[in-house]
Amino acid sequence: MDAIDTDSATGSGRDPGAPRTTPHLLVVGATGALLPAVRTLTARGDTVTAMARTAADLRDLERSTHGAARPLARDFEAPGLREALARAAHDTPFTGALLYCPRASPATVRTLAGAVPPGRPVVLALTSEHAAPDGEAGHEESVEAESIEGDAASWSPALLPAGARPTPGCRLLVLGWRPRPEGSRWHMAGEISEAALRVLDAGPPPRDAVLGRVRPWRTRPSA
Protein backbone atom coordinates (compact mmCIF):
# COMPACT_ATOMS: atom_id res chain seq x y z
CA MET A 1 0.00 0.00 0.00
CA ASP A 2 1.31 3.46 -0.87
CA ALA A 3 1.31 5.96 1.97
CA ILE A 4 -0.77 9.12 1.60
CA ASP A 5 1.47 11.86 0.24
CA THR A 6 1.61 14.62 2.82
CA ASP A 7 4.73 16.33 1.48
CA SER A 8 2.72 17.94 -1.31
CA ALA A 9 -0.47 18.26 0.73
CA THR A 10 -2.54 21.41 0.69
CA GLY A 11 -3.30 20.73 4.39
CA SER A 12 -6.68 22.05 5.49
CA GLY A 13 -7.13 23.71 2.12
CA ARG A 14 -3.87 25.64 2.20
CA ASP A 15 -2.44 26.82 -1.11
CA PRO A 16 1.40 26.76 -0.84
CA GLY A 17 1.68 29.54 -3.45
CA ALA A 18 -0.75 31.91 -1.73
CA PRO A 19 -0.12 34.28 1.19
CA ARG A 20 -0.42 32.51 4.53
CA THR A 21 -3.91 32.76 5.94
CA THR A 22 -5.39 30.94 8.90
CA PRO A 23 -7.36 27.89 7.71
CA HIS A 24 -10.94 27.67 8.94
CA LEU A 25 -12.25 24.12 9.23
CA LEU A 26 -15.79 22.93 9.81
CA VAL A 27 -15.72 19.85 12.04
CA VAL A 28 -18.96 17.97 12.63
CA GLY A 29 -18.74 15.40 15.42
CA ALA A 30 -16.34 17.73 17.19
CA THR A 31 -16.92 16.44 20.72
CA GLY A 32 -16.91 12.74 19.80
CA ALA A 33 -14.99 10.78 17.19
CA LEU A 34 -13.33 13.90 15.78
CA LEU A 35 -12.47 15.59 19.09
CA PRO A 36 -8.76 14.67 18.78
CA ALA A 37 -8.79 16.13 15.26
CA VAL A 38 -10.11 19.43 16.61
CA ARG A 39 -7.31 19.53 19.17
CA THR A 40 -4.70 18.79 16.49
CA LEU A 41 -6.06 21.42 14.12
CA THR A 42 -6.21 24.15 16.75
CA ALA A 43 -2.76 23.21 18.06
CA ARG A 44 -1.28 23.80 14.62
CA GLY A 45 -2.91 27.21 14.41
CA ASP A 46 -6.12 26.52 12.49
CA THR A 47 -9.52 27.91 13.42
CA VAL A 48 -12.30 25.36 13.81
CA THR A 49 -16.04 25.78 13.79
CA ALA A 50 -16.89 22.86 16.05
CA MET A 51 -20.37 21.49 15.56
CA ALA A 52 -22.13 19.09 17.91
CA ARG A 53 -25.40 18.80 19.77
CA THR A 54 -24.21 19.36 23.35
CA ALA A 55 -23.55 23.02 24.12
CA ALA A 56 -21.80 22.32 27.43
CA ASP A 57 -19.23 20.06 25.79
CA LEU A 58 -18.61 22.66 23.10
CA ARG A 59 -18.08 25.39 25.69
CA ASP A 60 -15.49 23.20 27.41
CA LEU A 61 -13.79 22.65 24.06
CA GLU A 62 -13.79 26.37 23.34
CA ARG A 63 -12.13 27.09 26.69
CA SER A 64 -9.53 24.34 26.31
CA THR A 65 -8.51 25.60 22.86
CA HIS A 66 -8.44 29.26 23.98
CA GLY A 67 -11.19 30.16 21.56
CA ALA A 68 -9.67 28.52 18.49
CA ALA A 69 -12.61 26.08 18.43
CA ARG A 70 -15.74 28.12 17.86
CA PRO A 71 -18.83 26.31 19.18
CA LEU A 72 -21.84 25.69 16.97
CA ALA A 73 -24.36 23.74 19.05
CA ARG A 74 -27.12 22.41 16.83
CA ASP A 75 -29.32 19.46 16.12
CA PHE A 76 -28.40 18.58 12.54
CA GLU A 77 -32.00 18.19 11.47
CA ALA A 78 -33.30 21.40 13.04
CA PRO A 79 -34.43 24.11 10.61
CA GLY A 80 -31.96 26.85 9.73
CA LEU A 81 -28.81 24.76 9.31
CA ARG A 82 -27.80 26.40 6.03
CA GLU A 83 -28.17 29.86 7.54
CA ALA A 84 -26.21 28.91 10.68
CA LEU A 85 -23.32 27.62 8.56
CA ALA A 86 -23.36 30.77 6.45
CA ARG A 87 -23.13 32.91 9.59
CA ALA A 88 -20.23 30.83 10.91
CA ALA A 89 -18.32 31.34 7.66
CA HIS A 90 -19.35 34.94 7.03
CA ASP A 91 -16.05 36.61 7.98
CA THR A 92 -13.74 33.70 7.15
CA PRO A 93 -15.01 31.14 4.63
CA PHE A 94 -14.39 27.49 5.36
CA THR A 95 -11.21 26.11 3.82
CA GLY A 96 -12.15 22.48 4.47
CA ALA A 97 -14.29 20.16 6.56
CA LEU A 98 -14.27 16.92 8.51
CA LEU A 99 -17.73 15.40 8.81
CA TYR A 100 -18.78 12.53 11.06
CA CYS A 101 -22.55 12.49 11.33
CA PRO A 102 -23.76 8.92 10.80
CA ARG A 103 -27.33 9.66 11.90
CA ALA A 104 -27.78 12.73 9.70
CA SER A 105 -30.07 12.54 6.68
CA PRO A 106 -28.53 12.62 3.18
CA ALA A 107 -29.97 16.12 2.66
CA THR A 108 -28.31 17.34 5.85
CA VAL A 109 -24.96 15.84 4.85
CA ARG A 110 -25.23 17.62 1.48
CA THR A 111 -25.90 20.90 3.27
CA LEU A 112 -22.88 20.42 5.54
CA ALA A 113 -20.54 19.49 2.69
CA GLY A 114 -21.92 22.27 0.51
CA ALA A 115 -20.93 24.90 3.09
CA VAL A 116 -17.33 24.50 1.91
CA PRO A 117 -16.42 26.30 -1.33
CA PRO A 118 -15.78 24.06 -4.36
CA GLY A 119 -12.21 22.87 -4.68
CA ARG A 120 -11.60 22.80 -0.94
CA PRO A 121 -11.17 19.42 0.80
CA VAL A 122 -14.18 17.83 2.50
CA VAL A 123 -13.79 14.47 4.26
CA LEU A 124 -16.92 12.47 5.07
CA ALA A 125 -16.38 9.59 7.50
CA LEU A 126 -18.76 6.70 6.86
CA THR A 127 -19.44 3.80 9.20
CA SER A 128 -18.68 0.23 8.18
CA GLU A 129 -22.34 -0.44 7.34
CA HIS A 130 -21.67 1.26 4.02
CA ALA A 131 -19.28 -1.59 3.16
CA ALA A 132 -21.82 -4.34 3.83
CA PRO A 133 -21.67 -7.10 1.17
CA ASP A 134 -25.12 -6.24 -0.21
CA GLY A 135 -23.99 -2.65 -0.87
CA GLU A 136 -21.68 -3.37 -3.77
CA ALA A 137 -24.06 -2.70 -6.65
CA GLY A 138 -22.93 0.84 -7.54
CA HIS A 139 -19.61 1.98 -8.95
CA GLU A 140 -17.88 5.36 -9.00
CA GLU A 141 -14.34 5.65 -10.30
CA SER A 142 -13.69 9.41 -10.37
CA VAL A 143 -11.69 9.39 -7.12
CA GLU A 144 -8.73 7.17 -6.23
CA ALA A 145 -8.95 5.00 -3.12
CA GLU A 146 -6.45 3.36 -0.82
CA SER A 147 -6.25 1.67 2.54
CA ILE A 148 -4.86 3.78 5.37
CA GLU A 149 -4.20 0.83 7.62
CA GLY A 150 -4.42 -2.90 7.15
CA ASP A 151 -5.93 -4.34 4.00
CA ALA A 152 -9.35 -3.49 2.57
CA ALA A 153 -9.03 -6.69 0.52
CA SER A 154 -11.59 -6.92 -2.27
CA TRP A 155 -13.70 -3.92 -1.26
CA SER A 156 -13.20 -0.26 -2.18
CA PRO A 157 -15.26 2.92 -1.70
CA ALA A 158 -15.49 2.94 -5.51
CA LEU A 159 -18.17 0.27 -5.03
CA LEU A 160 -20.45 2.71 -3.21
CA PRO A 161 -23.39 4.21 -5.10
CA ALA A 162 -22.85 7.72 -6.44
CA GLY A 163 -25.25 9.12 -3.83
CA ALA A 164 -22.79 8.28 -1.04
CA ARG A 165 -20.71 11.29 -2.10
CA PRO A 166 -22.66 14.42 -1.07
CA THR A 167 -20.67 16.83 -3.26
CA PRO A 168 -18.30 16.35 -6.20
CA GLY A 169 -14.75 15.77 -5.00
CA CYS A 170 -15.79 14.94 -1.44
CA ARG A 171 -13.32 12.45 0.03
CA LEU A 172 -14.84 9.38 1.66
CA LEU A 173 -13.24 7.71 4.67
CA VAL A 174 -14.90 4.37 5.39
CA LEU A 175 -14.33 3.28 8.98
CA GLY A 176 -13.56 -0.41 9.17
CA TRP A 177 -12.21 -2.31 12.14
CA ARG A 178 -8.88 -3.42 13.56
CA PRO A 179 -8.32 -7.19 13.56
CA ARG A 180 -6.68 -8.76 16.62
CA PRO A 181 -5.97 -12.36 17.60
CA GLU A 182 -8.43 -12.07 20.48
CA GLY A 183 -11.12 -10.53 18.29
CA SER A 184 -11.66 -7.48 16.08
CA ARG A 185 -12.33 -4.09 17.63
CA TRP A 186 -13.62 -0.74 16.43
CA HIS A 187 -11.21 2.16 16.05
CA MET A 188 -10.83 4.71 18.81
CA ALA A 189 -11.45 8.45 18.39
CA GLY A 190 -7.72 9.14 18.12
CA GLU A 191 -7.33 6.64 15.30
CA ILE A 192 -10.36 7.97 13.44
CA SER A 193 -9.19 11.55 13.82
CA GLU A 194 -5.67 10.75 12.65
CA ALA A 195 -7.02 8.99 9.56
CA ALA A 196 -9.44 11.83 8.79
CA LEU A 197 -6.64 14.39 8.99
CA ARG A 198 -4.43 12.34 6.71
CA VAL A 199 -7.17 12.24 4.10
CA LEU A 200 -7.84 15.97 4.56
CA ASP A 201 -4.17 16.91 4.23
CA ALA A 202 -3.40 14.69 1.26
CA GLY A 203 -2.62 16.65 -1.87
CA PRO A 204 -4.47 16.33 -5.15
CA PRO A 205 -5.88 14.29 -6.69
CA PRO A 206 -8.47 13.68 -3.95
CA ARG A 207 -8.57 10.12 -2.66
CA ASP A 208 -11.02 7.98 -0.77
CA ALA A 209 -9.69 5.70 1.95
CA VAL A 210 -10.58 2.80 4.22
CA LEU A 211 -9.45 2.75 7.84
CA GLY A 212 -8.61 -0.79 8.87
CA ARG A 213 -10.48 -3.70 7.32
CA VAL A 214 -13.95 -4.25 5.98
CA ARG A 215 -13.36 -7.83 4.82
CA PRO A 216 -13.91 -10.61 5.64
CA TRP A 217 -17.28 -9.30 6.80
CA ARG A 218 -17.60 -12.13 9.32
CA THR A 219 -14.71 -10.59 11.30
CA ARG A 220 -16.66 -7.35 11.89
CA PRO A 221 -17.07 -6.65 15.64
CA SER A 222 -20.52 -7.47 16.90
CA ALA A 223 -20.78 -4.49 19.26
Side-chain angles (χ1 to χ4, degrees):
M1 178 193 76
D2 293 336
I4 291 177
D5 179 8
T6 55
D7 291 337
S8 61
T10 56
S12 302
R14 296 184 179 94
D15 179 353
R20 179 66 167 88
T21 58
T22 301
H24 181 195
L25 281 297
L26 171 65
V27 179
V28 177
T31 59
L34 294 178
L35 174 59
V38 174
R39 297 197 183 283
T40 297
L41 289 167
T42 55
R44 71 189 193 187
D46 297 355
T47 298
V48 172
T49 289
M51 186 172 176
R53 289 187 174 91
T54 307
D57 291 343
L58 287 172
R59 286 194 296 270
D60 290 342
L61 181 58
E62 182 182 24
R63 284 193 293 268
S64 68
T65 60
H66 306 288
R70 303 172 179 176
L72 181 58
R74 283 191 61 86
D75 184 319
F76 302 138
E77 307 300 340
L81 175 61
R82 195 182 307 274
E83 293 75 15
L85 293 169
R87 287 193 297 271
H90 180 264
D91 295 328
T92 52
F94 296 125
T95 59
L98 299 177
L99 309 177
Y100 180 71
C101 42
R103 288 182 290 277
S105 69
T108 294
V109 176
R110 287 194 296 271
T111 298
L112 293 167
V116 179
R120 296 294 190 173
V122 175
V123 180
L124 174 61
L126 298 174
T127 58
S128 64
E129 285 88 348
H130 290 265
D134 61 356
E136 297 180 358
H139 292 266
E140 182 172 342
E141 301 184 7
S142 61
V143 180
E144 296 183 36
E146 62 182 281
S147 177
I148 284 183
E149 164 205 307
D151 181 8
S154 61
W155 190 88
S156 163
L159 294 168
L160 289 168
R165 198 180 308 280
T167 56
C170 177
R171 307 171 184 192
L172 303 180
L173 171 63
V174 178
L175 305 177
W177 52 86
R178 180 185 286 271
R180 299 181 299 172
E182 64 273 26
S184 301
R185 69 164 176 84
W186 298 117
H187 291 90
M188 308 296 286
E191 296 167 318
I192 294 171
S193 289
E194 181 182 358
L197 288 172
R198 290 177 66 185
V199 176
L200 178 80
D201 288 341
R207 296 184 179 184
D208 295 335
V210 176
L211 176 59
R213 297 196 180 200
V214 293
R215 293 293 184 275
W217 190 253
R218 65 178 179 277
T219 64
R220 182 175 181 265
S222 58

